[in-house]
Amino acid sequence: TLQIISSIKSIFEMHNLHLYLFPYRVVATAPGCGVIEVIPNSISRDMLGREKINSLYEYFWFKYGNPNGIAFQTAREEFIKSMASYSVITYLVAIRDRHNGNIMIDDQGHIIHIDFGFVLDIGPGGMIFERSPFKLTSEMIQVMGGKEDSSPYFVQFQNFCVQAFLLLRPFAEQLIQLVDGVKESGLPCFKIGEATIKNLRQRFRLDLDEAEARVFFANLVNQSCENVRTDMYDAFQSYRNGIPY
């Protein structure tokens, strides 16, 4: 997953799409063991909840000051750039287990996803409960200025998502080969065999022309907005593991 994220970051950079990704490094030292790079100057959304900060918007106000100020506006811009890139990747790779312990926020306002133990065709507990294309909660939308008033920041987020999706489609086979090369590894995410690769390819929607693909991903954004399954999964993680949301 991190190799895919790193490759996608390179594609963005080559084509001057200024979105944010942090493909932190992992070095394997033995079967099941390794060293994971620390994400600097960051805190998990889970930890913010444990410190009684009840929303991301409240955190941004506390950290960056008045929403009309330059610091807040800059942080919101960085938040949107990272939300768009990780949203597209979450959809394409089918990353699950997106509770607040697996979502970091750095000092610049970027959202950074971690812990990719459930991808492609598996979910926690052997079932796929998170059916939303990606995580887009009320508090995330609030940082973007809300959706109800046609916030220009939310529109910018949606446009970034569509641009990223359209840019990655021509590189679909290159990215799929990264997955195909390890399908014999015995990892649980390949439990349904060749169908895993077929499903991954299908998510790129190469059957659509550019205009149709644009509409398709815009609809995915709408499906993800305050998705009830996302809220239910967060509630379950709060009840089961004490992870605030």
Side-chain angles (χ1 to χ4, degrees):
T1 301
L2 288 165
Q3 288 176 349
I4 291 171
I5 293 172
S6 183
S7 295
I8 288 175
K9 181 180 180 179
S10 296
I11 292 169
F12 288 167
E13 290 172 349
M14 281 191 301
H15 293 82
N16 296 313
L17 183 56
H18 301 295
L19 301 183
Y20 183 85
L21 290 167
F22 188 89
Y24 57 90
R25 292 169 294 178
V26 174
V27 178
T29 57
C33 301
V35 179
I36 301 176
E37 180 183 6
V38 171
I39 298 175
N41 305 313
S42 63
I43 187 171
S44 71
R45 176 62 186 88
D46 166 38
M47 188 57 66
L48 289 179
R50 296 180 192 278
E51 294 180 359
K52 307 305 180 186
I53 297 177
N54 297 317
S55 76
L56 281 176
Y57 188 78
E58 178 185 329
Y59 170 70
F60 270 59
W61 192 312
F62 170 77
K63 189 167 184 65
Y64 305 110
N66 191 294
N68 294 319
I70 292 176
F72 189 102
Q73 297 283 352
T74 301
R76 174 153 56 191
E77 181 79 16
E78 296 305 314
F79 177 82
I80 290 169
K81 289 177 180 178
S82 57
M83 273 291 301
S85 53
Y86 277 105
S87 294
V88 173
I89 289 171
T90 297
Y91 161 71
L92 288 175
V93 189
I95 301 171
R96 298 185 176 88
D97 199 28
R98 296 299 88 199
H99 58 71
N100 283 341
N102 287 337
I103 295 177
M104 310 288 291
I105 307 158
D106 73 9
D107 279 354
Q108 295 177 284
H110 301 121
I111 285 281
I112 302 170
H113 284 248
I114 63 171
D115 192 348
F116 307 114
F118 298 99
V119 299
L120 299 174
D121 292 302
I122 60 169
M127 56 187 290
I128 299 175
F129 184 83
E130 298 160 90
R131 295 290 182 182
S132 176
F134 47 85
K135 187 168 189 174
L136 184 55
T137 62
S138 298
E139 66 170 4
M140 292 170 171
I141 295 170
Q142 188 182 19
V143 174
M144 300 181 206
K147 185 187 175 187
E148 294 76 11
D149 300 323
S150 298
S151 161
Y153 304 107
F154 186 83
V155 172
Q156 182 185 41
F157 162 74
Q158 188 173 45
N159 288 339
F160 277 150
C161 285
V162 170
Q163 288 174 45
F165 181 62
L166 293 178
L167 175 58
L168 294 176
R169 291 171 76 233
F171 295 92
E173 293 304 324
Q174 174 183 322
L175 296 169
I176 290 167
Q177 282 194 16
L178 288 174
V179 179
D180 191 61
V182 292
K183 67 184 178 184
E184 304 299 331
S185 62
L187 289 169
C189 59
F190 296 106
K191 66 178 183 178
I192 62 173
E194 286 293 337
T196 295
I197 304 300
K198 180 180 178 181
N199 293 340
L200 173 59
R201 183 174 285 107
Q202 172 63 21
R203 285 192 289 275
F204 282 94
R205 293 308 307 266
L206 301 177
D207 57 309
L208 303 178
D209 64 28
E210 183 172 313
E212 291 169 335
R214 186 179 296 275
V215 172
F216 168 76
F217 209 90
N219 286 335
L220 291 189
V221 174
N222 291 328
Q223 290 174 35
S224 300
C225 280
E226 302 171 318
N227 189 286
V228 65
R229 304 270 301 203
T230 299
D231 289 342
M232 290 173 67
Y233 188 71
D234 276 338
F236 169 77
Q237 287 292 342
S238 176
Y239 171 77
R240 181 72 178 269
N241 297 313
I243 299 173
Y245 73 100

